[in-house]
Amino acid sequence: MDYGKYKYEANLKARESRKNQANTVQKEIRMGLKIDTHDYETKRRNVEKFLDGGDKVKVIIRFRGREQSRPERGVKLLQRMAEDVAEYGFVESHPRQDGRNMVMVFGPHKKKAQAMAEARKRKTDAEKAAARNKDDSSDSAADAGSGTES
């Protein structure tokens, strides 16, 4: 075997291993203590989407003014978030006060590589279904256009 072919195959193997490798990213969601229910639901959906994608999520609550004297309300809000997203991830670090902020980190139940593989599979399945629907509609259009004249 010549050296060029060896280098080429080594590059292919390296590229393939990089393709299957996935880096977990830490996403960040910030909210205030006096968050409205609709805004909370939007933030919760974003956290679920990030966890479902295999990323870690850091949820930060900002305390402003007199809110700093009530850290238990921040803990209560973060515990509510933890209960709401329990099926997508788990609590990696419990709420801790960090100056004006309270921070909690969620980790995903499934690994990033597994989430990416599922997303790829869903995408290919959707493409196949779209192609099948396109073929079915073109077949029925061809059948309708090939009527016999009398």
Side-chain angles (χ1 to χ4, degrees):
M1 167 156 55
D2 66 2
Y3 184 65
K5 185 175 181 181
Y6 168 76
K7 276 180 64 174
Y8 173 73
E9 289 178 355
N11 279 339
L12 281 181
K13 281 185 183 177
R15 189 179 317 143
E16 192 66 30
S17 67
R18 277 195 307 269
K19 184 172 134 182
N20 293 332
Q21 181 181 9
N23 296 329
T24 303
V25 180
Q26 186 172 24
K27 305 285 187 168
E28 196 170 283
I29 299 285
R30 295 180 182 202
M31 60 179 124
L33 187 60
K34 297 184 284 189
I35 189 168
D36 193 39
T37 55
H38 179 267
D39 297 329
Y40 172 80
E41 291 300 318
T42 303
K43 302 279 188 182
R44 180 190 53 79
R45 278 195 306 271
N46 283 336
V47 170
E48 288 175 357
K49 181 176 71 172
F50 294 148
L51 289 173
D52 196 36
D55 295 319
K56 291 183 179 183
V57 181
K58 179 193 264 187
V59 179
I60 300 174
I61 297 180
R62 291 183 307 269
F63 290 99
R64 307 172 88 165
R66 291 185 181 172
E67 293 173 353
Q68 290 180 1
S69 64
R70 299 282 188 172
E72 65 274 4
R73 290 184 64 197
V75 171
K76 187 176 166 186
L77 182 61
L78 287 173
Q79 292 296 339
R80 179 176 152 208
M81 177 71 77
E83 291 170 9
D84 290 345
V85 300
E87 71 179 74
Y88 296 96
F90 61 95
V91 176
E92 201 166 274
S93 76
H94 293 284
R96 66 178 189 280
Q97 188 83 26
D98 186 28
R100 290 177 154 255
N101 301 324
M102 185 168 282
V103 179
M104 184 177 203
V105 179
F106 296 100
H109 283 309
K110 52 185 168 181
K111 300 286 183 205
K112 180 78 172 187
Q114 181 184 0
M116 287 175 63
E118 287 178 6
R120 266 196 304 267
K121 185 177 183 319
R122 280 194 302 263
K123 184 178 176 184
T124 56
D125 289 347
E127 288 173 353
K128 287 178 184 176
R132 194 170 29 249
N133 289 341
K134 183 180 174 186
D135 290 343
D136 291 345
S137 64
S138 64
D139 288 345
S140 62
D143 292 342
S146 65
T148 57
E149 294 181 27
S150 306

